Amino acid sequence: PLEPSALVYVCNKSTVVFTYLAVVGLTFICVCVGLLSLRKNGVSHDSAFSSVFATTRDTNLGELMEGNSLGVLPLASKIATTELQLGLITVPGVPLRRAGFGLRPYGIVKLKKGVEYY
């Protein structure tokens, strides 16, 4: 006889199999999306701010940050008062359309919906 406080588990084999198959299927879909993204992008990145900033800034912003790359607080007033804009970075003589952060209003063009940027 069981004690009144004993835990009793009832396992339905079809429910367990269905649950595991669903999880394995979703995992497979996620892995496929990741691999397709890696193939299309050609490179792998993480979402650390330094990675984002390093790949999405224009030359003017790079020049502004010279000597302040460690991000020491308080920020220098020239940096703290600078307005950034996300947009199309334009470089004279370079046809590449690259989205990124730049100094407003120097060489940054507003992004357009549905246009591919690199």
mmCIF file of all heavy atoms in Angstrom, residues 86-118:
data_model
loop_
_atom_site.group_PDB
_atom_site.id
_atom_site.type_symbol
_atom_site.label_atom_id
_atom_site.label_comp_id
_atom_site.label_asym_id
_atom_site.label_seq_id
_atom_site.Cartn_x
_atom_site.Cartn_y
_atom_site.Cartn_z
ATOM 1 N N LEU A 86 21.569 56.628 -37.242
ATOM 2 C CA LEU A 86 21.659 55.361 -37.972
ATOM 3 C C LEU A 86 21.157 55.618 -39.378
ATOM 4 O O LEU A 86 20.079 56.178 -39.569
ATOM 5 C CB LEU A 86 20.818 54.273 -37.299
ATOM 6 C CG LEU A 86 20.758 52.939 -38.028
ATOM 7 C CD1 LEU A 86 22.143 52.309 -38.081
ATOM 8 C CD2 LEU A 86 19.781 52.011 -37.357
ATOM 9 N N GLY A 87 21.943 55.245 -40.358
ATOM 10 C CA GLY A 87 21.530 55.463 -41.730
ATOM 11 C C GLY A 87 22.508 54.856 -42.706
ATOM 12 O O GLY A 87 23.369 54.049 -42.346
ATOM 13 N N LEU A 88 22.377 55.253 -43.950
ATOM 14 C CA LEU A 88 23.263 54.794 -45.007
ATOM 15 C C LEU A 88 24.540 55.618 -44.948
ATOM 16 O O LEU A 88 24.500 56.847 -45.015
ATOM 17 C CB LEU A 88 22.590 54.960 -46.366
ATOM 18 C CG LEU A 88 23.437 54.678 -47.602
ATOM 19 C CD1 LEU A 88 23.878 53.230 -47.628
ATOM 20 C CD2 LEU A 88 22.664 55.018 -48.848
ATOM 21 N N ILE A 89 25.662 54.952 -44.781
ATOM 22 C CA ILE A 89 26.947 55.634 -44.747
ATOM 23 C C ILE A 89 27.403 55.834 -46.184
ATOM 24 O O ILE A 89 27.531 54.871 -46.942
ATOM 25 C CB ILE A 89 27.993 54.819 -43.963
ATOM 26 C CG1 ILE A 89 27.561 54.678 -42.507
ATOM 27 C CG2 ILE A 89 29.361 55.450 -44.062
ATOM 28 C CD1 ILE A 89 28.441 53.765 -41.691
ATOM 29 N N THR A 90 27.619 57.067 -46.545
ATOM 30 C CA THR A 90 28.062 57.362 -47.899
ATOM 31 C C THR A 90 29.533 57.750 -47.881
ATOM 32 O O THR A 90 29.967 58.550 -47.064
ATOM 33 C CB THR A 90 27.244 58.513 -48.513
ATOM 34 O OG1 THR A 90 27.348 59.658 -47.671
ATOM 35 C CG2 THR A 90 25.789 58.118 -48.648
ATOM 36 N N VAL A 91 30.278 57.134 -48.771
ATOM 37 C CA VAL A 91 31.698 57.435 -48.927
ATOM 38 C C VAL A 91 31.904 57.834 -50.374
ATOM 39 O O VAL A 91 31.568 57.063 -51.286
ATOM 40 C CB VAL A 91 32.578 56.207 -48.573
ATOM 41 C CG1 VAL A 91 34.039 56.518 -48.775
ATOM 42 C CG2 VAL A 91 32.293 55.739 -47.161
ATOM 43 N N PRO A 92 32.424 59.033 -50.613
ATOM 44 C CA PRO A 92 32.622 59.479 -51.996
ATOM 45 C C PRO A 92 33.459 58.484 -52.807
ATOM 46 O O PRO A 92 34.505 58.034 -52.369
ATOM 47 C CB PRO A 92 33.372 60.811 -51.838
ATOM 48 C CG PRO A 92 33.033 61.278 -50.458
ATOM 49 C CD PRO A 92 32.850 60.036 -49.638
ATOM 50 N N GLY A 93 32.943 58.104 -53.957
ATOM 51 C CA GLY A 93 33.661 57.201 -54.853
ATOM 52 C C GLY A 93 33.473 55.722 -54.548
ATOM 53 O O GLY A 93 34.000 54.877 -55.235
ATOM 54 N N VAL A 94 32.720 55.384 -53.489
ATOM 55 C CA VAL A 94 32.497 53.983 -53.130
ATOM 56 C C VAL A 94 31.016 53.673 -53.302
ATOM 57 O O VAL A 94 30.170 54.258 -52.624
ATOM 58 C CB VAL A 94 32.931 53.698 -51.671
ATOM 59 C CG1 VAL A 94 32.666 52.249 -51.317
ATOM 60 C CG2 VAL A 94 34.386 54.049 -51.472
ATOM 61 N N PRO A 95 30.667 52.739 -54.212
ATOM 62 C CA PRO A 95 29.252 52.456 -54.488
ATOM 63 C C PRO A 95 28.569 51.553 -53.455
ATOM 64 O O PRO A 95 27.368 51.365 -53.512
ATOM 65 C CB PRO A 95 29.304 51.753 -55.850
ATOM 66 C CG PRO A 95 30.643 51.086 -55.863
ATOM 67 C CD PRO A 95 31.561 51.991 -55.085
ATOM 68 N N LEU A 96 29.312 51.005 -52.496
ATOM 69 C CA LEU A 96 28.749 50.077 -51.520
ATOM 70 C C LEU A 96 27.733 50.774 -50.623
ATOM 71 O O LEU A 96 27.999 51.845 -50.086
ATOM 72 C CB LEU A 96 29.874 49.496 -50.660
ATOM 73 C CG LEU A 96 29.493 48.421 -49.653
ATOM 74 C CD1 LEU A 96 29.002 47.175 -50.379
ATOM 75 C CD2 LEU A 96 30.689 48.059 -48.797
ATOM 76 N N ARG A 97 26.538 50.180 -50.482
ATOM 77 C CA ARG A 97 25.508 50.721 -49.594
ATOM 78 C C ARG A 97 25.650 50.037 -48.242
ATOM 79 O O ARG A 97 25.289 48.880 -48.090
ATOM 80 C CB ARG A 97 24.123 50.471 -50.174
ATOM 81 C CG ARG A 97 23.872 51.212 -51.452
ATOM 82 C CD ARG A 97 22.417 51.128 -51.885
ATOM 83 N NE ARG A 97 21.790 49.853 -51.636
ATOM 84 C CZ ARG A 97 21.595 48.906 -52.548
ATOM 85 N NH1 ARG A 97 21.993 49.096 -53.773
ATOM 86 N NH2 ARG A 97 21.011 47.781 -52.252
ATOM 87 N N ARG A 98 26.159 50.756 -47.257
ATOM 88 C CA ARG A 98 26.420 50.182 -45.944
ATOM 89 C C ARG A 98 25.650 50.946 -44.885
ATOM 90 O O ARG A 98 25.766 52.160 -44.768
ATOM 91 C CB ARG A 98 27.914 50.247 -45.654
ATOM 92 C CG ARG A 98 28.290 49.643 -44.345
ATOM 93 C CD ARG A 98 29.795 49.595 -44.205
ATOM 94 N NE ARG A 98 30.101 49.514 -42.791
ATOM 95 C CZ ARG A 98 31.060 50.174 -42.199
ATOM 96 N NH1 ARG A 98 31.841 50.959 -42.898
ATOM 97 N NH2 ARG A 98 31.266 50.062 -40.927
ATOM 98 N N ALA A 99 24.870 50.234 -44.081
ATOM 99 C CA ALA A 99 24.143 50.860 -42.981
ATOM 100 C C ALA A 99 25.052 50.933 -41.773
ATOM 101 O O ALA A 99 25.861 50.042 -41.534
ATOM 102 C CB ALA A 99 22.893 50.053 -42.650
ATOM 103 N N GLY A 100 24.911 52.009 -41.016
ATOM 104 C CA GLY A 100 25.736 52.139 -39.824
ATOM 105 C C GLY A 100 25.476 53.441 -39.099
ATOM 106 O O GLY A 100 24.618 54.228 -39.479
ATOM 107 N N PHE A 101 26.240 53.655 -38.022
ATOM 108 C CA PHE A 101 26.119 54.872 -37.238
ATOM 109 C C PHE A 101 27.135 55.891 -37.727
ATOM 110 O O PHE A 101 28.272 55.558 -38.032
ATOM 111 C CB PHE A 101 26.376 54.589 -35.754
ATOM 112 C CG PHE A 101 25.309 53.764 -35.118
ATOM 113 C CD1 PHE A 101 25.488 52.405 -34.942
ATOM 114 C CD2 PHE A 101 24.128 54.346 -34.700
ATOM 115 C CE1 PHE A 101 24.513 51.629 -34.346
ATOM 116 C CE2 PHE A 101 23.140 53.584 -34.115
ATOM 117 C CZ PHE A 101 23.329 52.221 -33.937
ATOM 118 N N GLY A 102 26.721 57.126 -37.779
ATOM 119 C CA GLY A 102 27.616 58.199 -38.174
ATOM 120 C C GLY A 102 27.222 59.485 -37.490
ATOM 121 O O GLY A 102 26.222 59.568 -36.779
ATOM 122 N N LEU A 103 28.040 60.500 -37.694
ATOM 123 C CA LEU A 103 27.781 61.805 -37.103
ATOM 124 C C LEU A 103 26.728 62.529 -37.922
ATOM 125 O O LEU A 103 26.814 62.582 -39.144
ATOM 126 C CB LEU A 103 29.067 62.630 -37.065
ATOM 127 C CG LEU A 103 30.245 62.015 -36.311
ATOM 128 C CD1 LEU A 103 31.443 62.923 -36.405
ATOM 129 C CD2 LEU A 103 29.872 61.768 -34.863
ATOM 130 N N ARG A 104 25.746 63.042 -37.243
ATOM 131 C CA ARG A 104 24.713 63.813 -37.914
ATOM 132 C C ARG A 104 25.267 65.193 -38.198
ATOM 133 O O ARG A 104 25.859 65.781 -37.323
ATOM 134 C CB ARG A 104 23.489 63.917 -37.013
ATOM 135 C CG ARG A 104 22.324 64.637 -37.653
ATOM 136 C CD ARG A 104 21.181 64.770 -36.715
ATOM 137 N NE ARG A 104 20.551 63.465 -36.521
ATOM 138 C CZ ARG A 104 19.525 63.266 -35.702
ATOM 139 N NH1 ARG A 104 19.062 64.242 -34.980
ATOM 140 N NH2 ARG A 104 18.998 62.089 -35.587
ATOM 141 N N PRO A 105 25.155 65.752 -39.330
ATOM 142 C CA PRO A 105 24.554 65.310 -40.582
ATOM 143 C C PRO A 105 25.589 64.907 -41.627
ATOM 144 O O PRO A 105 25.300 64.918 -42.812
ATOM 145 C CB PRO A 105 23.814 66.564 -41.034
ATOM 146 C CG PRO A 105 24.725 67.677 -40.636
ATOM 147 C CD PRO A 105 25.395 67.199 -39.352
ATOM 148 N N TYR A 106 26.794 64.548 -41.230
ATOM 149 C CA TYR A 106 27.893 64.314 -42.174
ATOM 150 C C TYR A 106 27.815 62.949 -42.855
ATOM 151 O O TYR A 106 28.185 61.937 -42.277
ATOM 152 C CB TYR A 106 29.242 64.426 -41.465
ATOM 153 C CG TYR A 106 29.415 65.718 -40.730
ATOM 154 C CD1 TYR A 106 29.373 65.763 -39.350
ATOM 155 C CD2 TYR A 106 29.614 66.902 -41.427
ATOM 156 C CE1 TYR A 106 29.521 66.956 -38.667
ATOM 157 C CE2 TYR A 106 29.760 68.097 -40.760
ATOM 158 C CZ TYR A 106 29.710 68.127 -39.380
ATOM 159 O OH TYR A 106 29.851 69.306 -38.723
ATOM 160 N N GLY A 107 27.366 62.906 -44.087
ATOM 161 C CA GLY A 107 27.424 61.701 -44.898
ATOM 162 C C GLY A 107 26.478 60.586 -44.505
ATOM 163 O O GLY A 107 26.673 59.455 -44.920
ATOM 164 N N ILE A 108 25.453 60.878 -43.723
ATOM 165 C CA ILE A 108 24.493 59.847 -43.342
ATOM 166 C C ILE A 108 23.173 60.152 -44.046
ATOM 167 O O ILE A 108 22.644 61.252 -43.957
ATOM 168 C CB ILE A 108 24.269 59.807 -41.814
ATOM 169 C CG1 ILE A 108 25.566 59.509 -41.094
ATOM 170 C CG2 ILE A 108 23.195 58.793 -41.443
ATOM 171 C CD1 ILE A 108 26.136 58.140 -41.363
ATOM 172 N N VAL A 109 22.654 59.151 -44.773
ATOM 173 C CA VAL A 109 21.402 59.294 -45.504
ATOM 174 C C VAL A 109 20.368 58.392 -44.838
ATOM 175 O O VAL A 109 20.685 57.274 -44.410
ATOM 176 C CB VAL A 109 21.596 58.888 -46.986
ATOM 177 C CG1 VAL A 109 20.302 58.986 -47.756
ATOM 178 C CG2 VAL A 109 22.681 59.737 -47.626
ATOM 179 N N LYS A 110 19.138 58.859 -44.749
ATOM 180 C CA LYS A 110 18.058 58.105 -44.114
ATOM 181 C C LYS A 110 17.857 56.748 -44.808
ATOM 182 O O LYS A 110 17.877 56.663 -46.037
ATOM 183 C CB LYS A 110 16.772 58.919 -44.168
ATOM 184 C CG LYS A 110 15.679 58.396 -43.292
ATOM 185 C CD LYS A 110 14.512 59.375 -43.270
ATOM 186 C CE LYS A 110 13.516 58.951 -42.234
ATOM 187 N NZ LYS A 110 12.419 59.906 -42.122
ATOM 188 N N LEU A 111 17.685 55.687 -44.004
ATOM 189 C CA LEU A 111 17.454 54.350 -44.558
ATOM 190 C C LEU A 111 16.065 54.260 -45.166
ATOM 191 O O LEU A 111 15.122 54.904 -44.694
ATOM 192 C CB LEU A 111 17.596 53.294 -43.456
ATOM 193 C CG LEU A 111 18.977 53.150 -42.826
ATOM 194 C CD1 LEU A 111 18.934 52.129 -41.698
ATOM 195 C CD2 LEU A 111 20.009 52.753 -43.849
ATOM 196 N N LYS A 112 15.934 53.431 -46.206
ATOM 197 C CA LYS A 112 14.650 53.221 -46.859
ATOM 198 C C LYS A 112 14.211 51.783 -46.659
ATOM 199 O O LYS A 112 15.013 50.857 -46.756
ATOM 200 C CB LYS A 112 14.754 53.537 -48.352
ATOM 201 C CG LYS A 112 15.040 54.992 -48.631
ATOM 202 C CD LYS A 112 15.131 55.262 -50.108
ATOM 203 C CE LYS A 112 15.472 56.727 -50.322
ATOM 204 N NZ LYS A 112 15.750 57.022 -51.707
ATOM 205 N N LYS A 113 12.951 51.603 -46.390
ATOM 206 C CA LYS A 113 12.393 50.274 -46.159
ATOM 207 C C LYS A 113 12.447 49.450 -47.444
ATOM 208 O O LYS A 113 12.156 49.941 -48.525
ATOM 209 C CB LYS A 113 10.935 50.428 -45.697
ATOM 210 C CG LYS A 113 10.358 49.218 -45.058
ATOM 211 C CD LYS A 113 8.984 49.543 -44.503
ATOM 212 C CE LYS A 113 8.531 48.478 -43.558
ATOM 213 N NZ LYS A 113 7.256 48.798 -42.957
ATOM 214 N N GLY A 114 12.858 48.181 -47.310
ATOM 215 C CA GLY A 114 12.884 47.261 -48.448
ATOM 216 C C GLY A 114 14.156 47.299 -49.274
ATOM 217 O O GLY A 114 14.294 46.547 -50.224
ATOM 218 N N VAL A 115 15.120 48.156 -48.910
ATOM 219 C CA VAL A 115 16.383 48.249 -49.645
ATOM 220 C C VAL A 115 17.428 47.431 -48.902
ATOM 221 O O VAL A 115 17.501 47.468 -47.685
ATOM 222 C CB VAL A 115 16.839 49.723 -49.760
ATOM 223 C CG1 VAL A 115 18.195 49.816 -50.448
ATOM 224 C CG2 VAL A 115 15.790 50.550 -50.511
ATOM 225 N N GLU A 116 18.233 46.674 -49.653
ATOM 226 C CA GLU A 116 19.291 45.881 -49.025
ATOM 227 C C GLU A 116 20.513 46.739 -48.757
ATOM 228 O O GLU A 116 20.940 47.497 -49.619
ATOM 229 C CB GLU A 116 19.687 44.704 -49.917
ATOM 230 C CG GLU A 116 18.692 43.582 -49.916
ATOM 231 C CD GLU A 116 19.224 42.353 -50.619
ATOM 232 O OE1 GLU A 116 20.448 42.220 -50.777
ATOM 233 O OE2 GLU A 116 18.394 41.510 -50.999
ATOM 234 N N TYR A 117 21.055 46.608 -47.537
ATOM 235 C CA TYR A 117 22.268 47.318 -47.161
ATOM 236 C C TYR A 117 23.291 46.292 -46.714
ATOM 237 O O TYR A 117 22.947 45.209 -46.258
ATOM 238 C CB TYR A 117 21.984 48.310 -46.018
ATOM 239 C CG TYR A 117 21.005 49.382 -46.401
ATOM 240 C CD1 TYR A 117 19.667 49.289 -46.023
ATOM 241 C CD2 TYR A 117 21.399 50.473 -47.139
ATOM 242 C CE1 TYR A 117 18.768 50.261 -46.382
ATOM 243 C CE2 TYR A 117 20.505 51.456 -47.505
ATOM 244 C CZ TYR A 117 19.184 51.353 -47.121
ATOM 245 O OH TYR A 117 18.298 52.324 -47.486
ATOM 246 N N TYR A 118 24.556 46.620 -46.803
ATOM 247 C CA TYR A 118 25.627 45.682 -46.475
ATOM 248 C C TYR A 118 26.444 46.195 -45.332
ATOM 249 O O TYR A 118 26.540 47.334 -45.070
ATOM 250 C CB TYR A 118 26.521 45.456 -47.688
ATOM 251 C CG TYR A 118 25.743 44.984 -48.887
ATOM 252 C CD1 TYR A 118 25.326 45.853 -49.865
ATOM 253 C CD2 TYR A 118 25.392 43.657 -49.002
ATOM 254 C CE1 TYR A 118 24.588 45.410 -50.946
ATOM 255 C CE2 TYR A 118 24.656 43.206 -50.071
ATOM 256 C CZ TYR A 118 24.255 44.094 -51.048
ATOM 257 O OH TYR A 118 23.531 43.650 -52.112
#
